[in-house]
């Protein structure tokens, strides 16, 4: 995505997919991607090397995941991905990775948390929406992270309610952005009238009211006059 490509411009970056597709997950023009499949030879070998080199530390993290108080369903998911965390720790050590950034406060950050603890490197998290309320080892992950990035003020407030006050200053709001093309987004010879499709949940925070207001004020100049821009909003396949 846009974020990984931007990071790749300033640092050597590897994207880690903990649930990789069947085909090569590396995107065109993006950084290389490591696919962690639970029962692959690569994952199991990496996990075994970590267990051999750090048996006490591995056992301590396993105990944290099992003994901490949080949802049983989340605990079972974390148990399943534990081997991936061990494998990622091995990869981080062998490739001299200096920091791990995990998207989502669910199992991806569990894998990142395990790997960062065992590789003894820095760790950060981006939390988005549903994962803020998933009750998945959140306190322990926040305690182990240098920075937790959220995408809205509401998300920041809701996360701070779940963690000790001493960690509140680790939570920062950085909104999601878009990648702008080098040239005009709309060719001069594009079919008219211009139609815009806005995709997202029809909630207040998405700003659909602002979009509709902007469309109402916008016209497209044609050779024979002006024509109003059309717009559709879609959520889960529905259009309104």
């Amino acid at each position: 995505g846009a974020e990984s490509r931007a990071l790749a411009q300033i640092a050597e970056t590897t994207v880690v997919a903990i649930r990789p597709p069947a085909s090569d997950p590396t995107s065109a023009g993006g950084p290389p991607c490591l696919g962690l499949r639970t029962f692959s030879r690569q994952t199991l070998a990496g996990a075994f090397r970590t267990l051999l080199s750090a048996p006490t530390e591995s056992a301590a993290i396993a105990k944290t995941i099992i003994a901490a108080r949080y949802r049983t369903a989340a605990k079972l998911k974390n148990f399943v991905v534990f081997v991936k965390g061990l494998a990622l720790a091995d990869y981080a050590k062998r490739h001299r990775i200096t920091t791990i950034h995990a998207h989502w406060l669910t199992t991806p950050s569990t894998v990142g948390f395990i790997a960062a603890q065992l590789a003894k490197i820095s760790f950060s998290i981006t939390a988005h929406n549903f994962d803020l309320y998933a009750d998945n080892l959140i306190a322990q992950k926040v305690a182990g992270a240098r920075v937790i990035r959220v995408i809205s003020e509401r998300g920041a407030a809701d996360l701070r309610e779940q963690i000790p006050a001493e960690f509140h200053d680790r939570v920062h709001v950085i909104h999601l952005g878009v990648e702008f093309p080098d040239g005009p987004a709309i060719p001069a010879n594009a079919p008219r009238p211009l139609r815009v499709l806005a995709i997202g949940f029809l909630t207040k925070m998405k700003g659909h009211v602002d979009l509709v207001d902007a469309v109402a004020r916008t016209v497209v100049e044609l050779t024979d006059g002006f024509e109003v821009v059309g717009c559709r909003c879609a959520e889960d396949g529905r259009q309104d």
Side-chain angles (χ1 to χ4, degrees):
E3 286 189 355
S4 61
R5 286 191 290 271
L7 282 171
Q9 294 176 11
I10 61 174
E12 187 176 344
T13 304
T14 299
V15 174
V16 179
I18 67 164
R19 288 190 295 178
S23 58
D24 184 0
T26 302
S27 61
C33 184
L34 170 68
L36 288 178
R37 294 178 172 85
T38 304
F39 299 111
S40 73
R41 181 180 301 177
Q42 179 186 33
T43 299
L44 294 176
F48 186 67
R49 285 192 292 266
T50 296
L51 287 173
L52 285 179
S53 63
T56 303
E57 294 90 339
S58 299
I61 292 180
K63 181 179 179 180
T64 296
I65 291 173
I66 295 171
R69 298 184 63 181
Y70 60 106
R71 288 190 313 121
T72 301
K75 192 172 294 190
L76 291 173
K77 292 178 181 178
N78 288 341
F79 181 76
V80 170
V81 301
F82 184 73
V83 66
K84 297 183 180 184
L86 297 177
L88 183 57
D90 174 71
Y91 181 90
K93 291 177 182 178
R94 290 190 296 109
H95 291 82
R96 299 182 180 179
I97 303 298
T98 56
T99 187
I100 292 175
H101 182 77
H103 276 266
W104 311 105
L105 268 170
T106 48
T107 49
S109 57
T110 300
V111 173
F113 171 73
I114 294 167
Q117 292 289 312
L118 291 172
K120 296 179 173 57
I121 58 178
S122 66
F123 173 57
S124 58
I125 306 167
T126 285
H128 289 259
N129 188 353
F130 76 93
D131 53 318
L132 288 164
Y133 318 103
D135 187 21
N136 187 327
L137 206 67
I138 289 177
Q140 288 76 10
K141 292 174 183 177
V142 168
R146 292 181 59 190
V147 175
I148 304 91
R149 176 264 186 116
V150 291
I151 65 173
S152 68
E153 295 292 347
R154 174 186 172 185
D158 289 350
L159 179 57
R160 287 183 178 122
E161 287 183 358
Q162 303 178 61
I163 61 177
E166 62 185 293
F167 299 131
H168 284 190
D169 61 354
R170 298 187 186 184
V171 180
H172 299 271
V173 177
I174 303 176
H175 299 292
L176 291 174
V178 294
E179 194 171 26
F180 284 93
D182 294 331
I186 303 170
N189 61 348
R192 305 298 190 194
L194 175 66
R195 290 181 170 83
V196 178
L197 177 64
I199 302 174
F201 291 113
L202 298 179
T203 59
K204 183 178 179 180
M205 71 176 65
K206 295 296 183 182
H208 289 97
V209 172
D210 297 324
L211 174 61
V212 172
D213 181 63
V215 168
R217 301 181 185 197
T218 304
V219 293
V220 177
E221 186 173 357
L222 302 175
T223 55
D224 57 347
F226 296 89
E227 189 163 351
V228 177
V229 173
C231 174
R232 285 187 172 184
C233 298
E235 177 184 5
D236 295 334
R238 301 187 298 273
Q239 295 183 344
D240 299 300

